[in-house]
Amino acid sequence: MEQHDLDVWHMQRALELAIQGQGHVEPNPMVGCVIVQGAEIIGEGWHRRFGGPHAEVEALRLAGRRAARAAMYVTLEPCCHQGKTPPCTAAIVEAGIARVVIAHADPFPQVDGGGIADLKRAGIEVKVGLLEAEARQLNAPYLTLRQKGRPWIIAKWAMTLDGKTATRTGFSRWISNEQSRKVVHALRGRVDAIMIGRQTARLDNPLLTARPPGPRTALRVVVDTRASLTSETQLVRTAREVPVLVAVGEESPKAERRRLENLGCEVLVCGGETRALRLDQLIKELGRRQITNVLLEGGGQLAGCLLDAGQIDEAHVFIAPKLIGGTAARSPIGGEGIDEMPQAFVFDKPHIEQLGFDIYFHGRVRRD
């Protein structure tokens, strides 16, 4: 096998390992690592949990003394700073690794090329850029948080064949089938926050928890300009058990804010004259809190506002073989929308599956 083909083969394995950390490592990146002697893998690992050993350290531990003069394949630049764990570059140098193949550099300010430089100074052969596109795709949420200062936003909705998310009276339970709902709960269990609008909270009275629980417990976020979320909702009644953040406008009554706070909710006041400005402030605050993935679960106007701002990154859509009809029935996305079809948001390599009689579409918005 040619060296390039061997390199690709090993890096593909490292990517397979990396994705196993999804939902466990955020706000850290998912990272996989393989150590080899020729075609033989002598050590491998992945970043399993936030604050735990990095992928390189796990792989080095398995490789042991055989790591001397071996090659390492890692999906992200090794860290070179003391964080929750010691620098991986020091461990790599100490183990005697001769060659390191890296998918791409880490934009984290305390790394950002420093890890590559440290390895080169130690006399290690370094190759950067192998399967870079695939690695960046894997860690797109992490890269978005680091480079744009905002979370990766995943829009999710269930709709009928005629594009309705509820009847004209607001009734939506259940559009999708049980298999589809299991997928939704799995999504909830791996994100950092779940966001809905006030209308969805009022009409659907959701709990917004993963059942069964996943690796993460999501912060439940309600966008409610007037702080009118009632005390009887499931969200408010469980706020002391699972965190609830209510994003309100400056014009919201202070008494209503205090009511929600006294019931265990966190209230965040977002300034700005328009919905878009207030929402942008909320998204930036979530980014400051190192929230990596946000699942947007409801509210056509909320989804439309985020789409208009180009801030929806991924969509999971469940299409049921049902018809509702009615011009007053809710649709998944409102907002201003586009003027011409060439402006439409396009999904890159979308996936389509069948769950019972439901059609499940999921994909990422193309960023050219």
Side-chain angles (χ1 to χ4, degrees), residues 107-168:
F108 188 69
Q110 291 173 279
V111 183
D112 200 13
I116 294 167
D118 280 1
L119 296 175
K120 287 181 176 178
R121 276 194 294 270
I124 296 173
E125 179 190 346
V126 180
K127 177 181 178 180
V128 182
L130 183 68
L131 300 190
E132 179 174 357
E134 291 84 347
R136 286 185 176 277
Q137 178 83 349
L138 175 74
N139 270 319
Y142 167 76
L143 296 172
T144 298
L145 182 62
R146 288 280 158 243
Q147 296 169 336
K148 298 182 179 180
R150 70 164 179 86
W152 181 262
I153 299 177
I154 306 165
K156 164 263 160 184
W157 66 87
M159 69 181 186
T160 58
L161 282 174
D162 52 343
K164 306 297 184 181
T165 57
T167 67
R168 59 184 173 83

Side-chain angles (χ1 to χ4, degrees), residues 50-351:
F50 180 73
H54 288 189
E56 299 94 321
V57 172
E58 281 214 342
L60 286 168
R61 180 178 57 81
L62 287 176
R65 293 182 180 179
R66 296 188 69 192
R69 306 307 300 165
M72 172 182 283
Y73 297 80
V74 61
T75 58
L76 188 70
E77 176 183 8
C79 70
C80 55
H81 67 292
Q82 176 69 48
K84 290 185 178 294
T85 59
C88 290
T89 50
I92 293 168
V93 172
E94 185 179 353
I97 293 288
R99 180 172 182 253
V100 178
V101 182
I102 301 166
H104 67 92
D106 186 350
F108 188 69
Q110 291 173 279
V111 183
D112 200 13
I116 294 167
D118 280 1
L119 296 175
K120 287 181 176 178
R121 276 194 294 270
I124 296 173
E125 179 190 346
V126 180
K127 177 181 178 180
V128 182
L130 183 68
L131 300 190
E132 179 174 357
E134 291 84 347
R136 286 185 176 277
Q137 178 83 349
L138 175 74
N139 270 319
Y142 167 76
L143 296 172
T144 298
L145 182 62
R146 288 280 158 243
Q147 296 169 336
K148 298 182 179 180
R150 70 164 179 86
W152 181 262
I153 299 177
I154 306 165
K156 164 263 160 184
W157 66 87
M159 69 181 186
T160 58
L161 282 174
D162 52 343
K164 306 297 184 181
T165 57
T167 67
R168 59 184 173 83
T169 59
F171 190 82
S172 62
R173 201 171 282 184
W174 295 105
I175 287 177
S176 58
N177 64 25
E178 187 175 347
Q179 289 170 268
S180 295
R181 296 196 294 275
K182 283 183 179 179
V183 174
V184 173
H185 283 287
L187 278 170
R188 287 178 177 177
R190 70 168 178 83
V191 300
D192 305 291
I194 301 169
M195 185 188 299
I196 61 171
R198 179 186 60 83
Q199 278 288 86
T200 300
R202 182 179 69 84
L203 292 169
D204 295 351
N205 191 23
L207 190 56
L208 300 183
T209 56
R211 302 182 291 278
R216 307 188 84 75
T217 299
L219 170 69
R220 300 173 295 173
V221 181
V222 183
V223 180
D224 180 12
T225 303
R226 299 292 302 170
S228 60
L229 188 65
T230 66
S231 304
E232 292 73 31
T233 61
Q234 292 195 89
L235 290 167
V236 175
R237 286 193 288 108
T238 60
R240 298 192 190 280
E241 302 160 25
V242 181
V244 174
L245 172 67
V246 185
V248 305
E250 292 176 321
E251 68 275 27
S252 59
K254 291 183 179 179
E256 292 302 292
R257 296 183 210 168
R258 283 195 298 270
R259 172 183 62 84
L260 290 169
E261 288 173 337
N262 290 338
L263 290 167
C265 299
E266 179 186 358
V267 174
L268 176 69
V269 179
C270 298
E273 296 181 359
T274 66
R275 181 199 300 266
L277 288 173
R278 292 190 294 270
L279 189 55
D280 186 61
Q281 190 175 122
L282 169 61
I283 296 300
K284 286 178 179 175
E285 173 60 24
L286 295 178
R288 280 192 289 270
R289 297 185 185 200
Q290 297 297 289
I291 285 176
T292 308
N293 292 283
V294 173
L295 182 62
L296 177 63
E297 281 223 26
Q301 288 304 312
L302 181 58
C305 194
L306 287 168
L307 187 67
D308 289 341
Q311 292 185 331
I312 288 181
D313 302 293
E314 184 175 338
H316 292 250
V317 183
F318 303 86
I319 306 167
K322 301 174 183 177
L323 297 173
I324 285 178
T327 55
R330 285 191 283 170
S331 60
I333 298 181
E336 292 294 323
I338 62 169
D339 295 321
E340 299 176 356
M341 282 306 296
Q343 300 171 324
F345 293 88
V346 177
F347 287 85
D348 190 30
K349 300 176 183 177
H351 301 269

